Amino acid sequence: MHFFRYVLILPLISIISFCFAQQLVKPLPYVSVGTNDPEIKTIVQNGDTIYIGGKFSYLYPYSGNGAALSTSTGYSDVSWSMVEGGTIRALVSDDNGGWYIAGDFTTVNGITRNGLAHIKSDKTLDASWNPNPNATVFAIAKSGSTIYVGGNFSSVGGQSRSCIAAIDSATGNATSWNPGATSSVFALVVDDTLLYAGGAFTTIAGVTRNYISALSRATGAAKSWNPGADGVVRAIAISGSTLYAGGDFINFGGQGRNYIASVLTSSNTATSWNPNAGPHVFTIAVSGSTVYAGGDFTSMNGSTRLYIAAIDASSGTITSWNPAADSYVNSILVSGSTVYVGGEFSNIGGATRNKIAAIDASTGNATSWDPNADYAIYTIGISGSTLYAGGAFTSIGGQTRNNIAAIDATTGNILNFNPDANGIVHAIAVSGSTVYAGGEFTSIGGQSRNYLAAVDATTGSASSWDPGVDNFIYAIVVSGSNVYVGGDIFFFQSQLRVGLAALNASTGNLTSWDPSANGSVYALTLSDTILYAAGSFTNLGGSSRNYIGAVRTTANTNNATSFNPAANNYVLSLAVSGSTVYAGGNFTNIGSSSRNRIAALDASTGTATSWNPSADNQVRAIAVSSSTVYAGGIFNTIGGQSRNYIAALDASTGNATSWNPDPNNYLNVIALDLTNARIYAGGVFGSVFSGVNPRAGFAGFTNPDDPLPVELAELNIEYRSPNVELLWKTAMEVNNYGFDIEKKRMKDELGSMTWEKIGFVEGNGTTNAPKEYSFIDRVQKAGKYLYRLKQIDRDGKFLYSQEVEVTVGSAPEKFELGQNYPNPFNPSTTIGFTLQVSGFTTLKIYDAIGREVATLVNEPLEAGVYHQRTFDARGLASGMYFARLVSGGKTQLKKMMLLK
């Protein structure tokens, strides 16, 4: 794991925290899905497959507002940057496999991008391109190195621009091209030396132009071409010398034209081409001799055409092609023999197709291509074999799945595995090519199966394995040739088995193993030959065992072991790590100690260890990695911190770490994928990270033990009135997008202002060579300020540096070595000092018998500057140490105490 070493030059009175402000934690789009009625009960990861069970009937991967889809399969490639926070209204290819996207979205991969962004061909966000419009962008077009945009903004690319602008494709800065429109621009098309614009404006480039205009791409001046419309122009397409327009108008080019018209680019008068739509046209595409139109119309030239139509480009005659959508069509794109369509429909081309479809250009029938989006598609584009779709959707690729499903852990796609259970699935276990499922169902895998079944791990079809249980199953563990189950059970195959049973994994027959619990078993976990059980029972294996106990799985051993924590209320979750059993539930006493709802128990005796996170409400899920215990449930406080429903707890201290996904409702299950450093959570939540990220019932997160691959080797901060300068170095970088610089002004002793981003410094991507960075903040007002760096990876992961405090005011004019802070310390402390005269300075650390153990300064330093250094005492023994400052013939000494 990477660690950070800092050299800090700060004011003498600063108080510095060397803890990370936030550990690495990010929701993973490719393993985050939603359910229509979210209540995930169980998650099992097996290789590249994630099996989930619970209560749901529909499953969808989370995509954000944009998706890169295969033109052959319709599957979404989730390795593309995630766009969130609004809608994508328009897009254009960058001619290199990437895309410029426009709309009113707010983030890309968690990085602020308001309304405009460039996603490069390597699928990452372009760090250097950020025009930052102040309102929605509805249209975008590209010509060479210039990106033209239209919308309702008043500034973009760092300049005042009214509704239309030209942006440099490399820098994101607005060019001098500045026609200025009086109202929104909805459509842009580049043609030779001109840019055609359509919208709601009546003046553009300083002249009257009603809703449509041709502008010089060199000067921005309006050309004399002026067909004029009496209503908004929403779509433009050009074929040769003919321009086709669609929108809200009923007069165009001096002629009565209902919502769609054509005009020659050399004439102001509409042609005779008159399809006569009723009513509005939102999109137009031209392919050969055919003009395709989409909108909210229901007729075209007297013929019924529901929201989409094909028109002869010469005569205006409506062709027989008739896919007949059931709602609006917002975007059309023709590629070869396929017409791709996006909109708000749920049926088109004679088939169920949600918001996006591929239509045969000859027959009008929908092809088998079916990405299945949850909300409107506004724009589509094709580059090679990839179709990029943008809109208001947040999910694409959803599938009907009743209570049990499988997800590809690498792509996020929902797999064909579809057992179709007719009741809640509480437990899943995988063994080879078999998935064992338990719950409240009576039918699964196409067969009648009461509460317990074995299904094929690929197809989901039920096998002949049918134990014949009489009640609900809550827990399953597979070991060797046996399947151990727990639940509300009383009988298997007419034989008495209360709470617990063991079945032959091949035949489903009961074994002779019969420890018998006198109540429900909710959780099972196996360690070697000992099976730990938890639930509502008070007797297990012939002995009094309140809510938790253990039995051996070896033949003819039905008696409880000596493990006897004796909880005072239900135990709902278990995990074993080495010689420790972790338990969660409703209890307030367990293992002979007061423990609120979570405890660590000696695996042999059941006695509670000193580990005591103390949750304020029920703990339903526990998972353990090497140094961290993950807990989920109904709690809002655990490990001494406010943590809503999920927390990472230090396995040594029980304290909550700073990892904090913050779902908006409770959890039932946590599963770890240690191979890929992921954490999966399931429950009834609808969002994570304080509602910022929609995740309905299931989410995957990065593991906080998986560090961001950028090692910050040194951080220096200096104050020379009126500037605060940050200088830092990295020892190595992997996939480093860059650093946000954040500042917070301390308000008074009662609190502080909020953090604000004051700048960004681009990283160096991947490099093994040390790199140096700097940033200057000109501070106008005296006071105390906090600064921090937010290092951002190119896939959106981020990590904060420590917060550091600067006092801005008059420069110091005396020689003084301040007392280290904190003192006593372990393992590091901060030492501040000031100089009266500039000159060669040393700051050295000595132990109690006068041996030099560290040199912190050995160089010329300036007077009139606050200096500060960090002493890291890792590897040194506890005891008294001395800091000695020497400069300009003067010396000062301070005592320091290291306590480990």
Side-chain angles (χ1 to χ4, degrees):
M1 179 174 180
H2 297 301
F3 62 94
F4 295 88
R5 292 176 285 114
Y6 301 96
V7 178
L8 304 172
I9 304 177
L10 295 169
L12 184 63
I13 60 172
S14 295
I15 298 175
I16 310 299
S17 167
F18 289 93
C19 298
F20 297 125
Q22 180 172 338
Q23 283 183 279
L24 172 62
V25 53
K26 174 179 179 266
L28 302 170
Y30 49 88
V31 288
S32 293
V33 300
T35 62
N36 61 322
D37 183 14
E39 187 164 3
I40 303 300
K41 298 284 192 178
T42 182
I43 302 169
V44 175
Q45 181 261 340
N46 184 50
D48 288 332
T49 301
I50 306 165
Y51 295 94
I52 65 172
K55 178 188 175 186
F56 52 85
S57 59
Y58 189 80
L59 202 64
Y60 54 88
Y62 187 75
S63 65
N65 306 129
L69 309 170
S70 166
T71 55
S72 57
T73 65
Y75 288 159
S76 175
D77 181 351
V78 296
S79 60
W80 283 79
S81 292
M82 173 75 71
V83 182
E84 296 178 282
T87 59
I88 298 176
R89 297 277 181 174
L91 58 86
V92 66
S93 171
D94 68 358
D95 300 319
N96 193 37
W99 301 95
Y100 291 94
I101 60 174
D104 58 8
F105 52 86
T106 58
T107 67
V108 179
N109 274 350
I111 299 164
T112 299
R113 282 295 184 274
N114 292 313
L116 280 170
H118 178 209
I119 302 176
K120 299 185 294 184
S121 58
D122 65 1
K123 309 176 186 180
T124 65
L125 176 67
D126 186 340
S128 62
W129 203 79
N130 185 19
N132 194 32
N134 67 341
T136 304
V137 178
F138 294 111
I140 189 166
K142 182 179 183 295
S143 178
S145 61
T146 302
I147 307 298
Y148 297 96
V149 293
N152 60 7
F153 49 82
S154 58
S155 70
V156 66
Q159 301 293 326
S160 175
R161 293 291 184 268
S162 181
C163 301
I164 189 168
I167 309 295
D168 186 284
S169 64
T171 67
N173 297 327
T175 72
S176 59
W177 190 86
N178 185 18
T182 56
S183 191
S184 299
V185 172
F186 293 126
L188 296 172
V189 171
V190 174
D191 183 50
D192 295 329
T193 61
L194 300 178
L195 178 77
Y196 291 90
F201 55 83
T202 54
T203 300
I204 194 169
V207 299
T208 299
R209 290 291 184 270
N210 290 323
Y211 309 110
I212 190 165
S213 179
L215 305 169
S216 167
R217 283 169 39 212
T219 66
K223 309 303 288 184
S224 59
W225 182 81
N226 185 19
D230 67 347
V232 174
V233 172
R234 298 185 181 276
I236 300 172
I238 289 181
S239 179
S241 60
T242 302
L243 180 144
Y244 299 92
D248 302 350
F249 53 81
I250 56 173
N251 285 279
F252 187 93
Q255 305 294 318
R257 292 291 183 269
N258 290 325
Y259 311 111
I260 189 167
S262 74
V263 62
L264 297 177
T265 55
S266 59
S267 171
N268 292 332
T269 304
T271 70
S272 59
W273 190 82
N274 186 16
N276 191 27
H280 311 103
V281 172
F282 300 154
T283 182
I284 297 175
V286 183
S287 178
S289 60
T290 303
V291 176
Y292 295 92
D296 66 358
F297 56 82
T298 55
S299 69
M300 190 76 71
N301 218 2
S303 298
T304 298
R305 286 295 183 271
L306 300 177
Y307 310 109
I308 187 167
I311 310 155
D312 186 278
S314 299
S315 66
T317 303
I318 310 306
T319 73
S320 59
W321 189 81
N322 187 16
D326 65 349
S327 191
Y328 301 169
V329 169
N330 298 324
S331 184
I332 298 174
L333 184 149
V334 185
S335 179
S337 61
T338 303
V339 180
Y340 293 95
V341 182
E344 299 168 50
F345 49 82
S346 57
N347 194 288
I348 193 171
T352 298
R353 294 291 183 270
N354 288 315
K355 320 313 181 208
I356 188 167
I359 309 297
D360 188 285
S362 299
T363 66
N365 295 328
T367 72
S368 59
W369 191 81
D370 185 18
N372 194 17
D374 64 337
Y375 286 105
I377 302 284
Y378 290 124
T379 182
I380 49 180
I382 283 184
S383 177
S385 60
T386 298
L387 180 145
Y388 195 91
F393 61 89
T394 57
S395 143
I396 202 159
Q399 301 287 332
T400 297
R401 291 293 184 269
N402 288 314
N403 305 312
I404 185 170
I407 307 159
D408 188 303
T410 58
T411 68
N413 293 315
I414 297 163
L415 299 175
N416 291 330
F417 175 85
N418 187 16
D420 192 29
N422 70 341
I424 298 173
V425 173
H426 288 285
I428 293 173
V430 183
S431 178
S433 61
T434 301
V435 174
Y436 297 93
E440 302 180 28
F441 53 82
T442 57
S443 174
I444 191 171
Q447 302 292 326
S448 174
R449 292 289 184 271
N450 290 327
Y451 316 121
L452 183 62
V455 299
D456 185 274
T458 302
T459 66
S461 299
S463 73
S464 58
W465 194 83
D466 184 13
V469 62
D470 73 326
N471 214 331
F472 301 161
I473 297 294
Y474 298 125
I476 304 174
V477 171
V478 180
S479 178
S481 61
N482 289 335
V483 178
Y484 298 91
V485 297
D488 287 339
I489 53 179
F490 284 92
F491 288 95
F492 272 90
Q493 301 158 355
S494 300
Q495 297 184 55
L496 186 66
R497 289 290 189 275
V498 181
L500 277 172
L503 308 159
N504 184 279
S506 299
T507 65
N509 294 330
L510 277 171
T511 71
S512 59
W513 185 81
D514 183 18
S516 188
N518 68 340
S520 298
V521 172
Y522 298 134
L524 295 172
T525 189
L526 186 66
S527 177
D528 196 14
T529 61
I530 298 178
L531 185 73
Y532 295 90
S536 63
F537 54 82
T538 57
N539 193 286
L540 178 71
S543 298
S544 174
R545 293 291 183 269
N546 290 326
Y547 312 115
I548 184 169
V551 290
R552 294 193 178 276
T553 58
T554 50
N556 301 317
T557 54
N558 296 325
N559 296 329
T561 71
S562 59
F563 176 82
N564 185 19
N568 69 339
N569 209 324
Y570 294 174
V571 177
L572 304 174
S573 54
L574 293 172
V576 179
S577 178
S579 60
T580 303
V581 176
Y582 295 91
N586 291 329
F587 54 82
T588 56
N589 194 287
I590 193 171
S592 302
S593 297
S594 175
R595 292 290 183 270
N596 291 322
R597 303 169 187 89
I598 186 167
L601 310 167
D602 184 280
S604 298
T605 66
T607 303
T609 72
S610 60
W611 190 81
N612 186 18
S614 188
D616 68 339
N617 210 328
Q618 199 176 88
V619 173
R620 295 186 168 195
I622 297 178
V624 185
S625 70
S626 57
S627 61
T628 307
V629 179
Y630 299 93
I634 306 179
F635 54 80
N636 301 114
T637 300
I638 193 171
Q641 300 292 328
S642 174
R643 290 291 181 270
N644 293 321
Y645 313 117
I646 188 171
L649 306 169
D650 187 285
S652 298
T653 67
N655 295 329
T657 73
S658 57
W659 186 83
N660 187 16
D662 195 24
N664 69 337
N665 214 330
Y666 68 81
L667 267 71
N668 293 318
V669 59
I670 297 173
L672 301 183
D673 177 357
L674 299 179
T675 301
N676 296 301
R678 300 174 186 167
I679 300 165
Y680 307 127
V684 301
F685 53 85
S687 65
V688 294
F689 294 103
S690 303
V692 173
N693 298 89
R695 296 292 189 273
F698 177 89
F701 303 100
T702 51
N703 191 329
D705 293 329
D706 178 31
L708 204 67
V710 174
E711 184 174 344
L712 187 64
E714 184 176 305
L715 171 62
N716 301 319
I717 303 180
E718 297 185 357
Y719 167 56
R720 294 180 178 86
S721 181
N723 295 331
V724 172
E725 184 173 9
L726 288 81
L727 305 100
W728 65 99
K729 297 178 182 179
T730 60
M732 54 83 68
E733 301 179 18
V734 177
N735 206 27
N736 182 20
Y737 169 72
F739 303 86
D740 280 350
I741 316 301
E742 297 186 359
K743 179 174 75 172
K744 179 166 66 172
R745 184 169 185 266
M746 301 301 291
K747 188 164 56 177
D748 51 36
E749 68 276 4
L750 299 177
S752 63
M753 308 295 283
T754 58
W755 285 103
E756 62 172 326
K757 176 183 172 182
I758 60 171
F760 175 79
V761 177
E762 187 173 357
N764 278 280
T766 299
T767 175
N768 289 321
K771 297 294 179 181
E772 297 184 0
Y773 300 91
S774 65
F775 181 85
I776 295 177
D777 179 31
R778 185 178 179 86
V779 183
Q780 301 294 335
K781 189 173 182 179
K784 295 181 180 180
Y785 294 85
L786 292 175
Y787 288 85
R788 68 185 182 188
L789 302 177
K790 179 182 179 182
Q791 192 277 314
I792 307 168
D793 206 6
R794 280 182 172 166
D795 65 1
K797 300 176 185 175
F798 63 89
L799 189 67
Y800 288 112
S801 72
Q802 87 282 6
E803 300 171 9
V804 291
E805 184 180 307
V806 175
T807 298
V808 174
S810 59
E813 297 180 350
K814 60 181 178 178
F815 178 83
E816 183 175 55
L817 175 62
Q819 185 63 57
N820 64 301
Y821 180 89
N823 190 40
F825 67 97
N826 178 29
S828 61
T829 190
T830 302
I831 305 167
F833 60 94
T834 59
L835 306 177
Q836 190 172 19
V837 179
S838 299
F840 195 85
T841 304
T842 63
L843 176 61
K844 297 185 178 183
I845 309 298
Y846 300 87
D847 64 15
I849 60 174
R851 293 177 300 187
E852 181 181 326
V853 297
T855 298
L856 304 185
V857 177
N858 190 37
E859 60 185 316
L861 292 180
E862 294 181 43
V865 178
Y866 295 107
H867 300 280
Q868 203 160 47
R869 294 293 189 268
T870 299
F871 171 43
D872 191 333
R874 270 178 285 202
L876 297 177
S878 296
M880 185 70 72
Y881 291 84
F882 297 89
R884 184 171 184 261
L885 178 68
V886 179
S887 184
K890 295 184 178 182
T891 301
Q892 280 194 14
L893 200 70
K894 292 288 183 183
K895 294 180 180 180
M896 305 183 298
M897 179 61 69
L898 173 62
L899 293 179
K900 291 189 173 181

